[in-house]
């Protein structure tokens, strides 16, 4: 019987350690989620490979590895994992060991007396109502929500990389065409100046030609400025220094395909696969658990406490059972008055749940809207691309006829340059429409949660 109390203290701690793994196994069965994949799977990297652009693939891979928002999202996941461990600790018993030396003197005595104590204390709150277990499940739901938030962030960043990349490709072509246009307008101005000197063209027409020339130069500067800004943005997205933007490679706009496989319709059920939708779903479940925990705070708590201490009064004393102090007990506590703290906490968690529910329902509607808008915009811009392609073909034929007329002396060089300007304008419209379709495709990719 001498060792019963001592072993009981350790049993409290051991039993608690056995309960948590068993509960964890039960939770894995009742709260099973999709198996975690790599970030390449999340962003559907195979889909990007099908775009047949090695430069774009390189930038996306660089963003996945170096983008600071993606790195921050990974740290938030780790933070949520640590929070689960922190919350789960309330389910486990605590065990502490200490050393307490004492030195004292009693009244009526001239000698001091010393002692040395080695206390071992174990305590455990029995989770009879499942309050602490609900807290752990809530923390795990929050962890899943954070993981899906990270996936949504990854998809968004990859989409931005691709959109910026295609805009740079478009600006490259715009600058190329605008440089030709500036050169032609300068030639037009020079011809008008000669004609004005000969009295063939009025001064008003000459001023208008000079104005057009200057405006074309400003438009070229705007294109160059926009490309510089886009290149700097791409550098930030892929985690690179803007000093290296001169080395960034990309395909030519002429290599972009004008054929797009656009789905006729997309089922609204696809939104359930969106990571932002799933994130809110888990957050809502966590908020529901928090409400349940707040209700259980009104219930009593049962605690078990065990203590074992060996006290030695001298160096010669041994730590045996005669020098031991053992204690085993428990307590049942029921809060009577807390100043309205528990009631306020319950209302606060209910309010949080209602907010998340509204946000969840709004996300459902917004997700459907984004899919519909992206699909409709894709179809509309594709029709514009088809029309602009036809218009460009007509303009090319017209310009070909103008070249023949010029060679035959029917029209002047000035008339030919004006026809060429119209051709350059149509080429710019076509490139703009084509890139718009690529951006629409990326928008649809993002709206469907990378599931297209």
């Amino acid at each position: 019987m001498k060792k019963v109390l001592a072993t009981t203290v350790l049993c409290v701690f051991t039993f608690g350690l056995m309960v948590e793994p068993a509960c964890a196994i039960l939770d894995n069965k009742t709260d099973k989620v999709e198996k975690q994949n790599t970030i390449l799977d999340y962003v559907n990297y195979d889909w990007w490979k099908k775009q047949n652009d090695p430069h774009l693939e390189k930038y996306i891979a660089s963003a996945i590895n170096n983008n600071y928002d993606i790195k921050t999202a990974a740290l938030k996941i780790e933070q949520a994992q640590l929070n689960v461990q922190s919350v789960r600790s309330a389910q486990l018993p605590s065990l502490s060991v200490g050393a307490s030396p004492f030195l004292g003197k009693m009244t009526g005595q001239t000698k001091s007396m010393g002692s040395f104590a080695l206390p071992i204390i174990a305590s455990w709150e029995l989770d009879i109502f499942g309050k602490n277990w609900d807290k752990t499940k809530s923390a795990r739901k929050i962890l899943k929500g954070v993981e899906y938030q990270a996936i949504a962030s990854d998809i968004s960043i990859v989409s931005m990389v691709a959109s910026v990349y295609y805009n740079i490709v478009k600006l490259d072509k715009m600058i190329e065409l605008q440089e030709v246009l500036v050169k032609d307008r300068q030639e037009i101005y020079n011809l008008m100046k000669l004609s004005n000197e000969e009295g063939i063209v009025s001064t008003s027409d000459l001023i208008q030609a000079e104005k057009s020339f200057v405006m074309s130069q400003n438009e070229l500067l705007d294109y160059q400025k926009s490309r510089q800004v886009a290149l700097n943005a791409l550098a930030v997205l892929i985690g690179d220094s803007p000093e290296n933007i001169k080395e960034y490679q990309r395909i030519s706009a002429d290599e972009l395909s004008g054929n797009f496989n656009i789905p006729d319709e997309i089922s609204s059920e696809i939104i359930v696969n969106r990571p932002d939708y799933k994130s809110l779903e888990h957050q809502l479940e966590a908020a529901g658990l928090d409400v349940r925990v707040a209700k259980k705070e009104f219930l009593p708590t049962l605690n078990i406490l065990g203590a074992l201490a060996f006290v030695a009064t001298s160096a010669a004393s041994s730590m045996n059972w005669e020098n031991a102090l053992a204690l085993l007990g428990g307590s049942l506590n029921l809060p009577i008055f807390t100043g309205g703290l528990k009631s306020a906490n319950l209302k606060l968690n209910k309010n949080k749940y209602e907010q998340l529910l509204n946000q969840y329902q709004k996300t459902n509607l917004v997700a459907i809207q984004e899919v519909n808008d992206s699909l409709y915009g894709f179809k509309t811009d594709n029709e514009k691309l088809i029309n602009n392609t036809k218009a460009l073909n007509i303009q090319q034929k017209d310009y070909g006829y103008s070249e023949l007329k010029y060679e035959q002396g029917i029209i002047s060089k000035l008339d030919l340059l004006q026809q060429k300007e119209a051709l350059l304008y149509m080429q710019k419209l076509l490139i703009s429409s084509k890139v718009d379709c690529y951006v629409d495709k990326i928008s649809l990719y993002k709206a469907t949660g990378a599931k297209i």
Side-chain angles (χ1 to χ4, degrees):
M1 296 296 294
K2 290 183 177 181
K3 297 183 179 180
V4 172
L5 291 175
T7 55
T8 302
V9 175
L10 297 178
C11 285
V12 172
F13 181 73
T14 304
F15 179 71
L17 292 178
M18 293 172 61
V19 170
E20 170 61 18
C23 293
I25 294 174
L26 180 61
D27 181 69
N28 287 336
K29 291 181 178 180
T30 58
D31 190 26
K32 187 176 181 180
V33 296
E34 295 180 3
K35 185 179 180 181
Q36 184 177 7
N37 298 316
T38 64
I39 189 172
L40 294 177
D41 294 328
Y42 289 145
V43 301
N44 195 359
Y45 193 68
D46 290 337
W47 184 80
W48 291 108
K49 288 183 177 180
K50 294 178 182 178
Q51 309 309 311
N52 297 320
D53 188 343
H55 302 304
L56 178 59
E57 289 181 37
K58 181 185 69 175
Y59 294 130
I60 289 176
S62 180
I64 291 173
N65 294 323
N66 303 316
N67 182 272
Y68 289 100
D69 287 333
I70 291 179
K71 291 181 178 180
T72 301
L75 290 174
K76 288 182 179 180
I77 293 176
E78 183 180 351
Q79 182 183 24
Q81 291 172 339
L82 294 173
N83 181 61
V84 172
Q85 296 179 15
S86 176
V87 174
R88 187 178 58 185
S89 64
Q91 294 181 254
L92 303 174
S94 62
L95 179 66
S96 62
V97 179
S100 303
F102 296 96
L103 180 64
K105 175 183 174 297
M106 302 295 291
T107 58
Q109 295 183 2
T110 59
K111 294 183 178 181
S112 60
M113 181 177 62
S115 64
F116 181 80
L118 184 64
I120 303 174
I121 302 174
S123 62
W124 185 30
E125 179 185 346
L126 292 180
D127 196 17
I128 54 178
F129 299 109
K131 178 185 68 176
N132 293 330
W133 182 236
D134 285 341
K135 288 182 179 180
T136 301
K137 290 195 291 185
S138 175
R140 286 174 176 163
K141 291 291 184 182
I142 292 174
L143 170 60
K144 288 299 176 183
V146 172
E147 289 176 346
Y148 281 117
Q149 282 179 347
I151 297 172
S153 176
D154 296 341
I155 293 174
S156 178
I157 290 169
V158 167
S159 300
M160 284 191 290
V161 169
S163 296
V164 171
Y165 172 81
Y166 283 122
N167 276 308
I168 293 172
V169 171
K170 179 180 74 172
L171 289 167
D172 285 341
K173 188 63 177 180
M174 290 296 191
I175 290 172
E176 177 187 333
L177 295 174
Q178 190 66 23
E179 287 175 343
V180 176
L181 183 60
V182 169
K183 183 178 178 181
D184 288 347
R185 285 190 177 179
Q186 184 177 21
E187 189 173 357
I188 290 174
Y189 170 70
N190 293 335
L191 292 173
M192 295 282 282
K193 187 176 181 181
L194 291 174
S195 299
N196 177 258
E197 292 174 354
E198 296 177 359
I200 302 174
V201 174
S202 66
T203 304
S204 176
D205 292 336
L206 177 62
I207 293 174
Q208 187 64 36
E210 184 178 12
K211 180 181 177 182
S212 298
F213 171 55
V214 173
M215 290 179 63
S216 66
Q217 289 180 313
N218 288 337
E219 192 172 358
L220 176 60
L221 291 174
D222 288 338
Y223 285 141
Q224 292 172 339
K225 176 184 175 181
S226 298
R227 183 174 66 177
Q228 182 71 22
V229 171
L231 285 168
N232 290 336
L234 180 61
V236 173
L237 287 170
I238 65 176
D240 192 19
S241 172
E243 296 178 356
N244 301 324
I245 59 176
K246 292 182 180 180
E247 302 174 3
Y248 290 177
Q249 297 178 331
R250 53 266 188 190
I251 63 173
S252 169
D254 297 329
E255 299 178 59
L256 295 177
S257 172
N259 299 320
F260 300 95
N261 185 18
I262 306 176
D264 293 331
E265 60 181 17
I266 295 178
S267 173
S268 59
E269 295 179 358
I270 200 170
I271 64 171
V272 301
N273 294 318
R274 283 177 46 138
D276 57 340
Y277 186 86
K278 288 189 174 182
S279 176
L280 277 172
E281 193 175 54
H282 284 87
Q283 291 181 51
L284 189 62
E285 292 174 356
L289 288 168
D290 290 341
V291 172
R292 192 160 69 182
V293 169
K295 291 180 180 178
K296 292 180 179 179
E297 293 287 351
F298 292 92
L299 302 175
T301 59
L302 178 61
N303 296 279
I304 296 178
L305 176 66
L308 176 65
F310 294 97
V311 182
T313 57
S314 65
S317 300
S318 59
M319 291 187 180
N320 52 33
W321 185 249
E322 293 181 356
N323 294 329
L325 174 64
L327 175 66
L328 177 65
S331 65
L332 183 65
N333 300 315
L334 179 64
I336 302 299
F337 178 73
T338 58
L341 174 64
K342 296 184 182 297
S343 298
N345 184 53
L346 177 58
K347 293 179 180 178
L348 182 65
N349 281 281
K350 286 183 176 179
N351 183 280
K352 178 182 176 182
Y353 179 84
E354 291 295 331
Q355 290 185 44
L356 284 171
L357 180 59
N358 290 332
Q359 188 176 355
Y360 177 75
Q361 293 173 338
K362 178 184 175 181
T363 300
N364 184 19
L365 297 176
V366 171
I368 296 175
Q369 176 194 356
E370 289 178 350
V371 172
N372 290 335
D373 289 349
S374 299
L375 184 58
Y376 181 77
F378 198 179
K379 291 180 178 180
T380 302
D381 286 337
N382 187 60
E383 290 181 7
K384 288 172 61 179
L385 174 61
I386 294 172
N387 292 334
N388 286 334
T389 301
K390 293 178 181 179
L392 177 60
N393 291 334
I394 296 172
Q395 186 62 42
Q396 285 175 333
K397 291 180 180 179
D398 194 13
Y399 180 70
Y401 295 143
S402 296
E403 284 183 317
L404 291 175
K405 291 179 181 178
Y406 174 72
E407 292 174 357
Q408 296 171 359
I410 301 176
I411 62 174
S412 65
K413 182 66 177 293
L414 181 61
D415 295 330
L416 180 64
L417 289 174
Q418 289 175 342
Q419 286 295 324
K420 185 179 179 181
E421 183 175 333
L423 177 62
L424 291 172
Y425 175 76
M426 288 306 308
Q427 288 176 336
K428 289 167 68 175
L429 280 181
L430 180 65
I431 292 300
S432 182
S433 297
K434 188 181 294 185
V435 173
D436 285 345
C437 287
Y438 273 88
V439 174
D440 289 334
K441 183 164 67 171
I442 295 168
S443 177
L444 188 61
Y445 157 88
K446 181 182 176 183
T448 57
K451 299 299 182 182
I452 62 173

